[in-house]
Amino acid sequence: MRAAIIGVVSLAVIGAAVTGVLLATAKELRYPTQAKLRGALPAAAAAELKARGVGLSGALSCADLPGWTKKRLRVSCSGVTTSKKPVDVIGSGNQESADHYFTILVGGTPVVQNVPCLGRGCRHGG
């Protein structure tokens, strides 16, 4: 009887440990909905541009891209730099892979291309 109880307790502990590891490593989108991505993208892109020494003449204007779905998020933003160059930002999110990708063009030239995050706290080349 004691061996059976120890076995059940051991299985419960192992099950909890596996569940904890799976939950700790589960990847989630930083912006899990279209509305959250659209709402966060102007500030995130502005912070990224500022960190790269590019100023904006005003706030970025964002809209949903045609063809977005609940599983495939797509947003586009536009604006102008203080030096009058056009800025285009594209943000996407994929619910199945839990990946985001962001690209910023200034005057048609990529400043960042297909990076997983923008703004403060992000580390990437570009």
Side-chain angles (χ1 to χ4, degrees):
M1 174 85 161
R2 183 176 171 156
I5 292 172
I6 291 172
V8 169
V9 169
S10 295
L11 285 176
V13 169
I14 291 169
V18 169
T19 300
V21 168
L22 290 175
L23 289 175
T25 59
K27 197 169 148 187
E28 294 182 5
L29 287 174
R30 183 175 199 165
Y31 311 112
T33 66
Q34 183 75 6
K36 287 184 179 183
L37 178 60
R38 185 179 56 253
L41 195 52
E48 184 71 34
L49 288 167
K50 182 178 180 180
R52 293 170 178 272
V54 178
L56 293 170
S57 65
L60 293 169
S61 175
C62 298
D64 298 337
L65 283 172
W68 75 271
T69 68
K70 287 183 179 183
K71 290 187 177 191
R72 292 178 167 241
L73 314 175
R74 305 286 185 266
V75 174
S76 174
C77 303
S78 60
V80 178
T81 67
T82 53
S83 61
K84 310 267 189 260
K85 292 182 180 178
V87 175
D88 295 298
V89 181
I90 299 171
S92 68
N94 185 309
Q95 291 289 356
E96 291 176 8
S97 66
D99 290 320
H100 278 300
Y101 293 101
F102 301 98
T103 295
I104 301 176
L105 304 170
V106 174
T109 302
V111 174
V112 293
Q113 192 169 6
N114 294 325
V115 297
C117 66
L118 291 176
R120 192 171 176 196
C122 292
R123 298 274 188 251
H124 46 73

